[in-house]
Amino acid sequence: MEDYLPNEYDVVVVGTGMTESIVAAAASRIGKKVLHLDSDEYYGGLWATFNFDGLQKWIEDLKVSKSSAKDVSEVDLELEEKFLKTSNEYSTVENIEETWYISNDADLPVVSSKDTQTDSTGDGSGSGDEKSDDDKVEKKENVKQWSIDRIRKEYRKFNIDLAPKLLFARGELVELLISSNIARYAEFRAVSRVATFMDGKLTQVPCSRADVFANKTVSVVEKRMLMQLLTSCMEQGADSPEFDGFRDKTFLEYLNTKNLTPIVQHYVVQAIAMATEKTSCRDGVNRTKHFLNSLGRYGNTPFLWPMYGSGELPQCFCRLCAVFGGVYCLKRQLDGVVIHKNKCKAIISGKQRISLEHLVLGQGHLPPEVVASEGEQRISRGIFITDKSIMQGEKENLTLLYYPPEQPDQEPVTLIELGPSTNACPQGLFMVHMTCKRTTNAKEDLAYVVNKFLKAEPLDPLAIRSSIHSHTQTVSPDKRHIQEGDQDNREESTEESPKPQVLWSLYLNLPASDIKLNESTPSNLHLCSGPDLELDFDFAVNQAKSIFESMYPDKDFLPRAPDPEEIVLEGEEAPGPKFEGDTEAEEKQDVEKAEKED
Amino acid sequence: MEDYKFLFKVVLVGNAGVGKTCLVRRFTQGLFPPGQGATIGVDFMIKTVEVENEKVKLQIWDTAGQERFRSITQSYYRSAHALILVYDISCQPTFDCLPDWLREIEEYASNKVLRILVGNKIDREDREIPTHVGEDFAQRHGMYFLETSAKEAENVERLFMEIAAELMEQARSKELPRYETNTTSINGKTTSIGDTSNCGCSRLS
C-alpha cells in the first residue's frame, strides 16, 4: 500500500544524501513547501551509516535489482508533455567483497566465550559448517573472544560508514552548522592525531605550535624552518608574490627551493597539505592554509568526526527541513519526471503525479536522457574491523593518515581509524576506513596500504568465509584466490608492535561523483552528486549553496533557526485552556499563519 | 552558566495524531494547542522543573511530523534519556503500531533509555483500548505506563515530573545511559549531562 502525499510543492527533493538534504533544509527554512523522498528505507543513500545488521541488509539488497520504473504508456500525460523514466544506474555500487577472518562461536572453545548463550540472530551468509580442532584454537590467542556470532550479536554497537568524511574545524560545513543552528542536532569528536609514515614507521605529526616545539624528532632549526614556511602559506595565501614563480609548478617544486630538511618537507607535503608529486603549488598552498586555519579551534588537530558516523549529518538537515514543515517519505520510489517545454513540471511516484517548481535529484535518480557524462572520479573503499590500533597509544585515538602512493600507478589513500568512543564499534575493536580514487577495483587499489598496516589473513584457514557479490564482472568468487592473494604480499614486518588483525573486511566501489548533465537539461532540475573523494564535506555544501542560489537568488541560505527559548508561541500571552470552538477551522488558520511566517 | 543541575533529553514517538505535540505544549506552556500548524519552526521545548530542591531541565523533542510516513531520522533517538511512546486510547490502529515503534526504538535508542508508554486522550468517550490492555503491554516490554489527557491536563504534569524524578535517581546512581561526555559540541552547547570539564577537549563556538 502506498501513502498518499499532498500533490503540489515548491520543491521536490529525491534522495537523502548530503547535498539533497542541505538543499531541502534551505528551501524549507525560507518557507517553501518541500517534499523529500527516498526510495530506500534509511536516510543518506550512499552517504549512509549502518549498524552491522543494517549493512548486511544493504549488501543483500544490492543483489536484488530494484524494480524498474513504469513505462511511458502507463503515465497519463497532457498535451506536449514528455515523460522521462529515472534510473538508478548512476548510483551503482560495484565489486562488493565481504570477508570474515575469524570463525563462528561454534568453533571456539567454551572457556573463551564471555557470552555463552548463543542467540538466534539471523545468520545471513555462511553458516557454521566447518569444524575446528584444538590445535587451531590455540593460534587464535588474542582474538579468540571475537567470533562472527559475537559481532553479529553486538550489531547495534557498530556504525559503519559508506562514505566516511571529516570536518575541517573552520571548513564550510562547520560554519554552516553553526550559522544555521543545526549544530545542536549533532555531536562531534575531535580527531586526536594526524599520523604519517616516515622512516619505516608511523609517527604522529605535530599539529599545534606546542606540539611542534615539544617534538623531539625535529631540530630547533627545523622547527623555525617549519614555522616560517607555514606562516607564509597562512598569512599570504596562494596569490602572494611569494608564489609568483610557481603558478604552473607543483607544490613540491616550490618546497624544493626552500632548502627544507627531509623531515620538514615530509610533514608539510604528506601530513599538512596531503599532497602528491602532482599537486600544484596553488593547491598545495591552499590546502596548507586550510589545515592551519582550522587548527586550535576544537582539539589537537584541525579535524572533527561526527559521532555515530557521517550518515548522521544529512539527517540533521532533514530534521531542520521537517521542523519547518518539510514532508518526509522514505521507501518511496521516483518513477519518472514530466517535462513540458523544457521545464520540469511534475514527478510520477507510484500512482501519484506530484507537481513542482523545482526538482532536486540525487544522482541515483536521474533520467539517462539528461546525463552528458558519467564522470571519472570513482571511489574505492575498504572497511576493516580490527583488534587494535595501527599505532597503539596510551589512550584511545581517532587517527587520520594520508598515505601517498608507492608506485606511479597507485593512488594516495586516506585512512581514518575510529575507536569505540565514536560509537563506530564495541570496546576492544577498531574500525579502519580506507578511501582512494578507483583505478582497478577497491581490493586491488587498496592492497598496498592494507598490507602495510593490517594483517588481513584468516586467523584460521578454515575460518575464512568470503562472499563476493557484484553487479559487474569482478574477482572470481573463489576462496583460494583470496588466500593466495594475501600470501603474495610478502611480510616486511619486523616492526616493534604487531599489526592489527583484521576480523572482517568489506571492499566496495562507489560511483563517480562528477556526473555532468546535458546543456538541454531543464533549468529547474538540479543534480546533487554522491560522495566525492575529498576528505571533507565542502564539495556537498558548496554544491547545495549553488543549487539554492539558482533556485532562490534573493533569499538567505539557511539563516539561523531560533532556539526554543526564543520562540514566542501564539497564545502565550493569554494562557489558559483555549480549545473551545471549531478546532478544524483553527487548525487551518494555524497552517496558513505558519506558512506566512517566513 | 545556566541555572540547573541536570539536563535530560526526552523524546516522543507514536503515530501521527495521538497527541504528542499537545502533551508537550500542555506541559511546557500550560495550554492545549488547537492545531498542528503551530509546531512549524519549533524544534524542541524546554522546561525547568524542581525535584527534591534540585533544578532539572527537560529538553522535550517532538517528531517534527516525520512520523507521518514512518520516516523519523535515527539521529532523533540519539542521546535520549527518556522515550515516551504515545498511543490514542480511542484509536485501535495507534495501539497496533506499538510493536513497530518498539522495533525502531530497539534499533536506534540506547538500550538503557527510560521508556514510558502513554495512552492519551482519556477525555474521549469512545475508548477502544481498555486501561489494562495498555498496562499489560507496557509490563511485557519493560515500560512505565500512564494514561493522560492533554486536553484536560490530566496526568500530564505527573508524567513529566515522574520522568524527571526517575532520571535524576538514575543519574545519581549512575545507571543513566552514559553518553560520551567528552564530545565536542560545536555551538558550545551539549546535550550530555554531568561535568565535561575534564574531557581535555575544548568546546568553542
Side-chain angles (χ1 to χ4, degrees):
Chain A
M1 213 195 70
E2 216 151 44
D3 292 310
Y4 178 80
L5 301 163
N7 47 20
E8 225 171 284
Y9 296 89
D10 295 319
V11 182
V12 172
V13 183
V14 187
T16 51
M18 192 68 188
T19 311
E20 298 95 303
S21 303
I22 299 175
V23 176
S28 176
R29 181 69 186 85
I30 58 161
K32 300 296 167 188
K33 213 176 157 197
V34 176
L35 172 66
H36 201 170
L37 307 175
D38 198 311
S39 51
D40 294 316
E41 59 178 339
Y42 52 87
Y43 280 92
L46 293 175
W47 304 77
T49 302
F50 296 106
N51 65 33
F52 199 80
D53 200 36
L55 184 74
Q56 297 297 322
K57 270 191 215 127
W58 179 78
I59 295 170
E60 283 300 305
D61 287 350
L62 286 176
K63 287 192 282 189
V64 193
S65 65
K66 283 180 192 141
S67 63
S68 63
K70 55 181 64 178
D71 285 323
V72 196
S73 56
E74 296 169 48
V75 181
D76 289 333
L77 292 175
E78 288 166 28
L79 205 64
E80 289 182 61
E81 281 183 349
K82 206 165 61 175
F83 176 72
L84 300 181
K85 247 165 82 162
T86 51
S87 156
N88 60 8
E89 66 185 281
Y90 309 105
S91 62
T92 311
V93 177
E94 297 174 315
N95 306 322
I96 300 206
E97 188 174 328
E98 186 187 18
T99 310
W100 285 103
Y101 301 84
I102 47 173
S103 24
N104 252 327
D105 256 354
D107 309 333
L108 300 176
V110 187
V111 280
S112 72
S113 173
K114 274 187 208 156
D115 317 312
T116 36
Q117 325 146 270
T118 41
D119 69 331
S120 56
T121 31
D123 186 11
S125 66
S127 53
D129 51 354
E130 54 269 65
K131 293 178 185 72
S132 107
D133 49 35
D134 292 337
D135 297 2
K136 285 174 200 137
V137 169
E138 297 282 86
K139 280 185 262 159
K140 282 172 193 159
E141 288 176 6
N142 55 344
V143 240
K144 67 186 164 195
Q145 62 272 50
W146 282 102
S147 62
I148 294 174
D149 291 340
R150 184 164 162 206
I151 286 180
R152 285 185 190 283
K153 196 169 166 183
E154 300 205 19
Y155 73 95
R156 285 181 75 252
K157 293 192 178 146
F158 291 91
N159 279 297
I160 307 172
D161 289 282
L162 295 183
K165 282 182 177 294
L166 299 173
L167 294 84
F168 274 94
R170 286 185 203 282
E172 298 280 346
L173 184 55
V174 169
E175 300 301 349
L176 177 61
L177 287 167
I178 293 172
S179 65
S180 64
N181 210 2
I182 293 174
R184 62 187 172 194
Y185 299 144
E187 284 182 294
F188 299 87
R189 183 164 277 271
V191 170
S192 63
R193 61 185 180 187
V194 175
T196 190
F197 191 75
M198 196 164 62
D199 300 331
K201 63 176 197 291
L202 285 168
T203 38
Q204 184 172 345
V205 179
C207 281
S208 63
R209 190 178 278 263
D211 271 1
V212 171
F213 285 98
N215 190 299
K216 287 179 196 120
T217 54
V218 188
S219 74
V220 179
V221 183
E222 287 172 319
K223 279 172 190 170
R224 204 163 298 142
M225 217 181 257
L226 185 61
M227 289 311 290
Q228 222 164 33
L229 179 83
L230 298 182
T231 311
S232 69
C233 286
M234 177 82 170
E235 285 170 2
Q236 304 178 28
D239 290 322
S240 139
E242 163 81 10
F243 308 105
D244 266 351
F246 300 91
R247 293 274 172 259
D248 49 1
K249 300 236 167 63
T250 66
F251 190 47
L252 216 56
E253 284 172 303
Y254 165 72
L255 294 178
N256 284 339
T257 66
K258 292 275 141 194
N259 294 318
L260 304 175
T261 58
I263 296 182
V264 173
Q265 181 144 341
H266 180 102
Y267 280 161
V268 174
V269 175
Q270 297 201 9
I272 296 176
M274 289 179 251
T276 64
E277 288 169 355
K278 294 174 215 153
T279 308
S280 71
C281 180
R282 185 179 188 83
D283 285 354
V285 173
N286 282 335
R287 294 171 77 107
T288 304
K289 196 177 166 183
H290 199 25
F291 186 102
L292 297 173
N293 252 330
S294 289
L295 272 176
R297 191 173 198 182
Y298 296 119
N300 283 333
T301 71
F303 305 105
L304 292 176
W305 171 260
M307 290 287 286
Y308 304 98
S310 300
E312 291 288 294
L313 294 175
Q315 294 182 39
C316 295
F317 287 90
C318 293
R319 161 96 191 165
L320 187 91
C321 177
V323 164
F324 282 89
V327 175
Y328 274 80
C329 196
L330 299 179
K331 278 198 275 189
R332 181 76 186 227
Q333 169 123 4
L334 171 67
D335 296 313
V337 301
V338 178
I339 311 279
H340 177 70
K341 291 189 175 158
N342 204 31
K343 192 166 182 269
C344 189
K345 214 174 154 190
I347 58 162
I348 305 292
S349 171
K351 290 188 182 69
Q352 274 190 271
R353 175 185 167 120
I354 297 167
S355 65
L356 50 91
E357 290 298 316
H358 287 281
L359 178 59
V360 179
L361 294 179
Q363 73 174 43
H365 310 274
L366 291 172
E369 288 87 343
V370 304
V371 176
S373 96
E374 288 191 31
E376 282 147 19
Q377 300 285 315
R378 292 188 289 170
I379 301 172
S380 279
R381 291 270 298 113
I383 309 170
F384 309 87
I385 297 173
T386 65
D387 66 343
K388 57 172 139 337
S389 172
I390 52 167
M391 205 178 139
Q392 281 175 280
E394 284 165 24
K395 59 179 180 64
E396 182 190 321
N397 275 293
L398 206 169
T399 313
L400 168 68
L401 167 69
Y402 170 85
Y403 193 74
E406 290 171 350
Q407 309 286 334
D409 60 337
Q410 292 166 341
E411 289 292 331
V413 171
T414 305
L415 185 155
I416 299 171
E417 185 187 69
L418 306 167
S421 65
T422 63
N423 292 319
C425 54
Q427 283 297 334
L429 296 180
F430 282 86
M431 179 78 64
V432 175
H433 286 285
M434 294 189 195
T435 310
C436 75
K437 187 179 169 193
R438 176 174 177 183
T439 48
T440 55
N441 64 56
K443 190 168 187 185
E444 281 180 38
D445 291 348
L446 295 169
Y448 80 104
V449 182
V450 173
N451 294 320
K452 188 105 202 166
F453 299 112
L454 303 175
K455 186 166 171 287
E457 291 154 32
L459 269 173
D460 168 352
L462 282 179
I464 188 162
R465 237 156 295 193
S466 175
S467 46
I468 299 172
H469 336 285
S470 64
H471 295 275
T472 56
Q473 74 305 340
T474 173
V475 209
S476 78
D478 182 337
K479 285 185 182 182
R480 268 175 309 163
H481 173 91
I482 291 151
Q483 285 168 315
E484 279 160 19
D486 285 341
Q487 277 148 16
D488 287 347
N489 303 303
R490 68 280 95 139
E491 281 277 310
E492 54 186 298
S493 61
T494 60
E495 285 147 33
E496 334 77 272
S497 59
K499 295 175 190 174
Q501 169 69 46
V502 178
L503 311 186
W504 170 92
S505 73
L506 180 72
Y507 290 97
L508 53 121
N509 282 111
L510 297 178
S513 59
D514 54 343
I515 293 183
K516 296 275 183 306
L517 299 186
N518 282 326
E519 300 265 306
S520 61
T521 306
S523 61
N524 66 336
L525 190 160
H526 310 273
L527 160 70
C528 298
S529 304
D532 60 310
L533 273 162
E534 286 298 322
L535 186 60
D536 59 12
F537 291 93
D538 287 6
F539 178 77
V541 175
N542 289 325
Q543 191 178 43
K545 269 185 192 164
S546 80
I547 291 173
F548 180 79
E549 265 161 37
S550 73
M551 296 195 308
Y552 304 109
D554 308 323
K555 298 285 187 176
D556 276 354
F557 180 72
L558 283 168
R560 186 174 173 281
D563 277 324
E565 294 92 336
E566 301 160 9
I567 300 171
V568 180
L569 283 149
E570 160 241 353
E572 196 148 299
E573 306 81 20
K578 184 209 163 192
F579 48 83
E580 293 302 324
D582 185 356
T583 18
E584 288 231 337
E586 281 185 46
E587 194 167 317
K588 232 184 239 160
Q589 275 173 10
D590 264 25
V591 174
E592 276 163 20
K593 191 170 175 148
E595 276 171 4
K596 275 184 212 140
E597 257 166 21
D598 271 300
Chain B
M1 270 317 267
E2 283 187 78
D3 178 29
Y4 61 87
K5 181 132 189 210
F6 297 95
L7 170 62
F8 299 119
K9 177 176 171 183
V10 180
V11 305
L12 283 98
V13 290
N15 282 22
V18 297
K20 297 182 292 297
T21 308
C22 294
L23 284 168
V24 180
R25 290 196 62 186
R26 168 59 79 192
F27 175 64
T28 55
Q29 299 171 302
L31 50 88
F32 182 71
Q36 298 183 330
T39 43
I40 285 186
V42 181
D43 210 336
F44 51 87
M45 307 281 257
I46 283 175
K47 183 157 175 171
T48 306
V49 297
E50 216 164 279
V51 182
E52 293 169 34
N53 298 322
E54 300 276 18
K55 287 243 167 71
V56 178
K57 189 168 171 177
L58 294 177
Q59 199 184 60
I60 308 163
W61 292 63
D62 207 343
T63 51
Q66 288 181 319
E67 80 281 17
R68 234 168 111 199
F69 303 107
R70 304 298 317 274
S71 303
I72 292 187
T73 52
Q74 296 105 277
S75 60
Y76 177 69
Y77 296 98
R78 308 279 192 216
S79 322
H81 298 102
L83 204 148
I84 306 176
L85 177 53
V86 189
Y87 66 93
D88 173 354
I89 58 118
S90 67
C91 179
Q92 185 73 39
T94 67
F95 185 82
D96 296 340
C97 277
L98 295 180
D100 292 341
W101 286 112
L102 280 180
R103 223 167 293 133
E104 195 158 315
I105 293 165
E106 293 293 334
E107 193 89 344
Y108 304 119
S110 157
N111 48 10
K112 287 185 191 151
V113 70
L114 179 69
R115 296 155 201 224
I116 307 96
L117 181 66
V118 168
N120 191 31
K121 303 197 190 178
I122 50 171
D123 50 278
R124 302 276 298 229
E125 304 281 303
D126 52 346
R127 180 190 276 271
E128 288 185 4
I129 326 288
T131 307
H132 71 90
V133 173
E135 239 165 18
D136 272 4
F137 187 92
Q139 202 169 24
R140 262 184 290 129
H141 295 93
M143 306 169 86
Y144 288 78
F145 179 71
L146 203 62
E147 285 192 333
T148 58
S149 164
K151 190 173 174 181
E152 306 290 349
E154 213 175 319
N155 275 345
V156 179
E157 188 82 6
R158 185 175 151 204
L159 167 67
F160 288 100
M161 292 306 284
E162 282 186 8
I163 289 172
E166 178 65 30
L167 287 175
M168 208 171 88
E169 184 66 27
Q170 287 187 8
R172 285 186 168 148
S173 60
K174 304 236 154 52
E175 277 171 13
L176 211 61
R178 283 196 65 81
Y179 301 113
E180 276 303 324
T181 48
N182 51 344
T183 55
T184 302
S185 175
I186 61 177
N187 60 353
K189 291 178 193 137
T190 168
T191 54
S192 52
I193 55 142
D195 71 331
T196 52
S197 54
N198 59 351
C199 66
C201 79
S202 42
R203 289 191 286 125
L204 309 170
S205 57

